[in-house]
Amino acid sequence: MIFYRPTETADALRFLAERPEAVPVAGGTDLMVGVNYRHIRPEAMLDLTAIVELCTWTDEGTAIRIGSGVPYARIVAELATALPGLAAASRTVGSPQIRNRGTVGGNLATASPAGDAHPPLLATGANIEIAAPEGRRTVAIDDFFTGPKRSVLRPGEIITAVTVPKAAGPQQFLKVGTRNAMVISVCAFALALDLDRRTVGTGIGSAGPTPLRALPAEELELPWAAPAGLTDATVERFGDLVAAAARPIDDVRGTAAYRRHALAVCAARALRRTWRAAFEERSAEWN
């Protein structure tokens, strides 16, 4: 096996152009499972961990640009205030060892419908930066996923960064699994309130062929001008709209019916929690 460890993105792209069969690896938390079980045997590996650009994050003013090689543990430790939804999702990933190695960039490259980072990225309207030999392009998260473990990423391209808008209100991430840790989600849901724009962002995981937004739920009229007017009926309607937007299947982790039910419950809880957090001074009226 050829193993190449460049220090510049341009060198990595040149290597991929010369060896298109090479597999890029950052944390390797998904790839090495396949290697250990002999499901995959790459002829060449491209180690991205020495490229400084990919391993740093920067404050862009209204957003945070996260290099594709920044591990989950750093997102939890350093970005929980600016990106609470993504930090909450990052806390649920695997074990401490996996969080120290795994990356959002790797999660996106794998493009699994169950990727924990995907729902909060959808809920906040993140953008994906992709490098190719001919230049760089930016893809909206809504346009990134094309199917189960498929994306717009082309051969020879590398995900270099994810730009995530800073939180403009409370955010939530809820994950249902068969146990409390080290588990692939049965379903997951992320919600982001934008108090300036008076909008709600949503993200659904592990309940469709790709991660999804619940657009009808986002369009539901909420009592922004009179927050205490949020009724149980509205909250339940929001949960029902999220469940209806999902496209789940029956598999070894759960049935489609259970996934829809769990999403409705998670969405209702997330809306109640974020709403109360946003308008805390009025929360006593709702108890």
Side-chain angles (χ1 to χ4, degrees), residues 19-265:
R19 301 295 303 257
E21 77 280 7
V23 177
V25 55
T29 55
D30 286 326
L31 174 65
M32 294 313 296
V33 172
V35 171
N36 288 339
Y37 281 96
R38 301 183 184 277
H39 295 157
I40 181 174
R41 191 67 177 174
E43 296 181 18
M45 283 191 183
L46 174 63
D47 183 0
L48 303 174
T49 58
I51 302 176
V52 174
E53 173 196 7
L54 307 186
C55 300
T56 57
W57 63 266
T58 55
D59 189 327
E60 304 291 309
T62 60
I64 302 293
R65 182 182 183 275
I66 306 172
S68 58
V70 175
Y72 292 112
R74 286 188 58 197
I75 293 173
V76 173
E78 301 168 19
L79 295 173
T81 300
L83 308 177
L86 183 58
S90 298
R91 290 188 192 99
T92 73
V93 175
S95 63
Q97 295 91 337
I98 292 174
R99 290 192 291 274
N100 283 335
R101 293 293 301 174
T103 66
V104 174
N107 215 201
L108 286 166
T110 301
S112 168
D116 290 319
H118 303 155
L121 294 179
L122 283 165
T124 54
N127 288 304
I128 318 303
E129 181 184 286
I130 300 171
E134 60 273 15
R136 302 200 180 196
R137 62 190 177 110
T138 299
V139 178
I141 186 68
D142 287 359
D143 301 323
F144 183 78
F145 304 103
T146 60
K149 295 191 175 183
R150 297 197 304 273
S151 72
V152 298
L153 198 64
R154 302 165 185 154
E157 293 185 327
I158 295 173
I159 296 173
T160 50
V162 183
T163 301
V164 188
K166 291 180 180 177
Q171 299 180 355
Q172 282 272 305
F173 174 79
L174 298 175
K175 175 177 174 178
V176 176
T178 53
R179 57 185 184 183
N180 288 333
M182 294 286 289
V183 64
I184 299 174
S185 62
V186 174
C187 65
F189 179 73
L191 185 149
L193 288 189
D194 188 324
L195 301 181
D196 298 327
R197 298 180 179 178
R198 294 188 172 185
T199 59
V200 177
T202 61
I204 297 170
S206 205
T210 67
L212 303 164
R213 285 173 61 194
L215 294 177
E218 294 180 13
E219 295 166 359
L220 181 67
E221 185 174 348
L222 298 176
W224 296 99
L230 184 71
T231 64
D232 288 342
T234 300
V235 172
E236 290 174 8
R237 176 60 177 160
F238 181 82
D240 290 343
L241 289 171
V242 169
R247 297 162 57 192
I249 59 171
D250 297 339
D251 63 16
V252 294
R253 294 196 302 278
T255 64
Y258 176 74
R259 285 184 162 97
R260 289 192 189 278
H261 169 73
L263 280 170
V265 173

